[in-house]
Amino acid sequence: MHTGGAAPQDGPGDQRGPAPAATATLDARGVVTAWTERARGLLGHGPGDVVGRPGSGLLMANVSDTVSRAVREALSGGREWTGTAPVRHRDGHFVELDLRVSPLLGCDGRAQGFVVTGSSGCRGAHGAPGSARAGTAEAGPADKGPADKGPASVSPAEVSPPDAGPAAAGDGTATGARAMLDGAFTQSPLFCAVFDTGLRFLRMNETAARMLGLPENKVLGRPFHEVLHQPAFEEFHRVLCRVAESGSPACHESRSHAADPTRERAWTSWIWPVRDGAGEVCGIATATFDSSEQHRARQRLALLSEAGAGIGTTLDVVHTAQELVRLVVPRLADFVSVDLLDSVLRGEEPAPGPVGGSVVLRRLAHDVSEGGPRPAVELGEVDRYPEFSPPARSLSTGRPVLSRAGDPDFTLWSARNAARDVQVRESGIHSVMAVPLRARGITLGVAVFSRGEGSAPFGREDLVLAEELAGKAAVSVDNARRYTREHGTALALQRSLLPRRLPGQAAVEVASRYLPAGSQAGVGGDWFDVIPLSGTRVALVVGDVVGHGIHASATMGRLRMAVRTLADVDLPPDELLTHLDDLVTHLGSEDEDAIPPSVETAGELGATCLYAVYDPVSRRCTVASAGHPPPVVRLPDGTVDLIDVTAGPPLGIGGMPFESTERVLPEGSLLALYTDGLIEGRDMDPDAGTQALRTALAAPAASLEIACTALLSSMLPERPADDVALLIARTRALHADQVAEWDVPADPEHVAEARLRTSAQLTEWGLDEVAFVTELVVSELVTNAIRYGAAPVRLRLIRDRTLIIEVSDANSTAPHLRRAQIFDEGGRGLLLVAQLTQSWGTRQTPGGKTIWAEQSLANPSS
C-alpha cells in the first residue's frame, strides 16, 4: 500500500487535490480493529481514539438509509461496495471520501470482518457534510483466484492488533509499538504485499506502490490478476495460486527489463501462507527484493565455468578464437572480435612483453548478436591499429582498456576508418573494451568487446570478466600456437623422411598418399616405401610407429632407412622383419638411456610393418607382417579379397618368428597396403573398416591417383583421428618373350655354349650393340659359378628397361669383390663385371644364391 508522504491538514477551502488512501478494518460487529497512520492523517483520529469503538457512528454518519441498506446487503452477500460517503473529522467537520468496503471471508464463506479504504476526491466544507452519493456493489473476486480457505489477514506491521480495545487505546506504549511496526512495513525497501485467500490485495507498502506505479487505493481489495494482468506477472500469479492451494511457502525468481530497458534485472520473491490461531490459511504474504547483482554474479561465474570447458577444446588457433567469440555474444557483448599477430598463426615465438606503437593484426574470428553491427574488418584480413586506438593502447600497456563514445581516442579511432565509422554510427556502439591476449609473458593479439544501442555501457565488473575470459583464451591460443610449431616441425620431418617421388621400376604402377592426423595427437609415425630389387622385382613397404610427434617421426625415419638397407641385401620378407625386430629392440634400449621419460616416449618403442615383394616374372607376391593389417587385393575380374597373411608380433617384442605368405597375382591386380588409421576410427571398428575398404577398392577408377583420392574421401572424415598412409600398386608382368633361361652343365667346357646362346638371344631381341659386353659378363659369372659354386647352374636373361644377367648355383656362399695382385692369375672377374655393368649384386635363394648384373640399354623398347 502506498502510504508515503505527510498527512494533509484539512481546512476550509483546501484545494490541494486528493488525499492519500487510508485503511481501517472492522470485525463482523462493526467494531474498529485496526487503524492506519494514513487514516489518522486523513481524519485526525489516532488508533487509540477509534480502535475498539463501533465504526458506524464515525464512518456512516448522516448517510441515508438507502445507502446504509445497500452497504449492509452487499457485505452480507460477500460482495464489495464502492461509493462516496461523508466521514466525520476529529474537529467535527465532514470529509467526503471515495470508499471501498471489502469483506474478509472465513472458511465458511461468511464475512468475518471488513477492510475499508478511503481517499478524498474533493474536500467537504468545514462543518457542512457533503451529500452521500449512491455507491455500487461489486461481485467478490473469489471466483477469480484460488478458493478461499479462511479469513483474509492483514499484516501486523500494517494494522493494530485485532484485540486492541479501549483499554489498549489508552496505552501509549502499545500505540507507539503499533506505529513502529506500521512504519517498518511501510518503509521497507522490499516489495511487500498481503493478499487474502482469494488473492485480493489487502495491503502493500510504499516500495510496492512505487514499483507498480499504482496508488494503494487503486489496488486494495482487487484481485492480483486484475491489477497485474501483464504476461510478465503470469508466472508469479501461478506461484501465488500454488501457495494458496498447498499452504506451503515458495521462492520465485524472475527477470525482466521493466525497470531498465538496457539491462536485465532479476527479482527474488518469498511467498508464504499466513495462518490464523487455528492454523488455517487466512492470507498470503510476499516480500520481493532486487537480486540483480547476485544474478549477474552467478551469470559471470557461469560464463567463466563455461569458458573453462568450452575454450581450448582443440589445438587449433582459429577454432580457439571462434570459441571465445561464440561464448560471449550476446551474453557479455553485442560484438566481439579476436585479432592476432601473424607470427602467432605461423607458430613462431613472439617477442616477450607488450607490443608498442601502431600494430598490424589479422582478424581471426568475430561474432555479432542478432541485429548487431557489420564487421569493419572481414575474417582473414589485416587491420592496422594506430597507437592511440584502444586495441593498440591495451597491447602497449599489457592491460585492458575501457573506452566510451565521446572519449577522444574512441572518436578519433572510429573516424580514421570509414567502415568502422559506419559501424559505430549505424549500430550505436557506445562502449568498447580492448583486452590484450597475453600468455607466458608474450603478447599474442587483442580481443575487442563492443556494446551498441539498447545495451548498458560496460562497467568495471564487465572489464574484470572480459580480462578473465581473455586470459583463458590466450593460454589456449598459445598452446595451439606451440602445437602448430611442433606439428609443423614434425610434419616437415615426416615428409622429408618419406619418399618425395616413387622410383621408376617395371614391376608395378604405384600411387600413394600420406595424411597427418587432424586431431590433437599430432603427426605420427606412419610411412611407406617402394624399393626396386634385383631381377625386376619390387618391395612394397608400409609401417606405423607407435606414438605421435617428433620422436615418432624420427623413429619412422630410422626404420625406413633400416628397411632399405636390409632390402638392398635382398633378404626374404620374413628374414628382413626378423632383423628389423632386433633393430627396434636395440633402438628402444638406446632411447630409454638417452631420452628422459615423457608422455610421448614412455614405454617400449613399438612399431608395425608389412613387407611385400612382387616378382613380375613369376607373378608371385611374397608378404610378411609384423603386427600390421593385411593387404587388400582386387583381381582383374573385380573380385576383392584380403591376402591371408600370417600376422607376426609387432616389432620390438623380440623372440617371436615371422612367416611369409605367397600368392600369385594376375597381371593388372590392384594391391592396397595401408596403416590402421584408414580402417580404425571413433565410429568404426577394424572389421567394419576393412569391409569399407574392400567396398571402396572395388569401385573402378580412371587412374591410381583418382583411386587413392576417392578411397580416402569415402572412408575418412575431414580431420582424421590418426595418421594414414596408403600405397596402391597395379601389378605388371614380364612375358615369355622378355625372359630367356638355360641350365648350364657344371663343366668349364660349356661356358662357350652359354656365350653362344646369349649372343643368339641378344640378336633376336635386337640388342647386338651390347652383345660383346654381355658375353663377357656371362662368361665371367658362369665360370665363377662352375668353379666356386655347386650344381645346378642356371643362366637367365631378362629384357626390360635394362638388360639383366642372372647366374644361379646351389652354393649359398656369396662372392666378394677383391683387388687382385699383379701376378695373380685370377680374382679379376667380379672387378671386371663391376666396371662393365651399371650395377651388380648377389642374393640368397632357397636353393643357394644368385649373382646378377644389370646393363643399361640405349633403346629399352626395342
Side-chain angles (χ1 to χ4, degrees), residues 153 243-244 246-250 271-275 280-286:
S153 68
V243 172
S246 66
S248 299
I271 307 167
W272 66 94
V274 178
R275 301 181 185 274
E280 296 292 331
V281 175
C282 57
I284 307 296
T286 179

Side-chain angles (χ1 to χ4, degrees), residues 654-724:
M656 302 292 289
F658 299 95
E659 297 182 24
S660 294
T661 299
E662 284 192 358
R663 179 162 177 176
V664 175
L665 299 179
E667 183 178 8
S669 297
L670 212 61
L671 193 64
L673 285 71
Y674 52 91
T675 55
D676 58 1
L678 182 64
I679 61 171
E680 297 178 12
R682 300 185 185 94
D683 304 322
M684 187 167 54
D685 60 75
D687 292 338
T690 302
Q691 184 58 45
L693 173 59
R694 295 174 64 173
T695 302
L697 195 63
S703 68
L704 293 186
E705 294 293 335
I706 295 176
C708 278
T709 302
L711 190 149
L712 293 178
S713 62
S714 65
M715 294 192 61
L716 296 177
E718 183 179 353
R719 298 171 64 87
D722 196 6
D723 286 29
V724 175

Side-chain angles (χ1 to χ4, degrees), residues 16 24 61 145 169 181 194 206 313 328-329 362 412 431 438 443 452 495 600 603 605 610 634 678 687 836:
R16 288 181 295 171
L181 292 175
V194 182
E206 293 179 355
T313 60
V328 299
V329 174
R362 187 172 298 277
L412 186 58
S431 189
R438 291 176 52 81
T443 301
R495 295 196 182 281
E600 181 185 356
L605 176 65
L610 183 78
R634 188 186 77 189
L678 182 64
D687 292 338
L836 295 177

Side-chain angles (χ1 to χ4, degrees), residues 735-820:
H735 301 117
D737 61 350
Q738 294 179 274
V739 181
E741 52 185 333
W742 306 275
D743 290 326
V744 179
D747 188 338
E749 294 181 358
H750 293 278
V751 173
E753 180 183 354
R755 287 199 301 268
L756 291 175
R757 289 184 175 181
T758 298
S759 179
Q761 186 63 53
L762 294 178
T763 299
E764 182 180 340
W765 285 342
L767 300 176
D768 291 326
E769 71 276 7
V770 297
F772 176 76
V773 173
T774 304
E775 289 180 23
L776 185 57
V777 171
V778 167
S779 177
E780 290 295 333
L781 294 182
V782 170
T783 299
N784 281 347
I786 294 174
R787 179 177 298 178
Y788 303 108
V793 177
R794 191 168 183 81
L795 170 64
R796 183 168 75 164
L797 302 180
I798 302 173
R799 178 180 63 85
D800 189 50
R801 298 181 179 183
T802 60
L803 179 63
I804 300 172
I805 305 107
E806 294 183 345
V807 177
S808 304
D809 68 83
N811 190 334
S812 60
T813 302
H816 62 278
L817 194 65
R818 67 183 180 87
R819 185 177 298 278

Side-chain angles (χ1 to χ4, degrees), residues 119 180 201 240 547 565 621 746 792 833 841 846:
S119 61
M180 182 184 67
F201 278 92
L240 282 175
T565 301
C621 183
V833 170

Side-chain angles (χ1 to χ4, degrees), residues 359-447:
V359 61
V360 176
L361 300 174
R362 187 172 298 277
R363 175 64 50 85
L364 227 64
H366 55 223
D367 199 1
V368 185
S369 62
E370 185 176 355
R374 178 187 177 90
V377 181
E378 296 299 329
L379 291 176
E381 293 184 356
V382 296
D383 191 19
R384 178 176 294 278
Y385 292 98
E387 58 184 354
F388 57 81
S389 65
R393 287 169 52 205
S394 71
L395 291 174
S396 63
T397 61
R399 301 184 61 81
V401 172
L402 176 59
S403 184
R404 296 187 174 92
D407 293 348
D409 61 335
F410 184 94
T411 303
L412 186 58
W413 177 44
S414 61
R416 286 282 188 94
N417 185 301
R420 182 169 289 110
D421 188 47
V422 172
Q423 178 192 47
V424 170
R425 285 188 289 102
E426 291 184 352
S427 304
I429 293 179
H430 54 74
S431 189
V432 169
M433 296 186 297
V435 185
L437 299 176
R438 291 176 52 81
R440 302 179 180 94
I442 61 175
T443 301
L444 307 169
V446 64

Side-chain angles (χ1 to χ4, degrees), residues 573-593:
D574 53 344
E575 291 186 28
L576 184 143
L577 291 182
T578 299
H579 287 284
L580 195 61
D581 182 52
D582 293 338
L583 176 63
V584 171
T585 302
H586 293 314
L587 290 177
S589 300
E590 293 175 2
D591 287 348
E592 288 181 1
D593 297 334

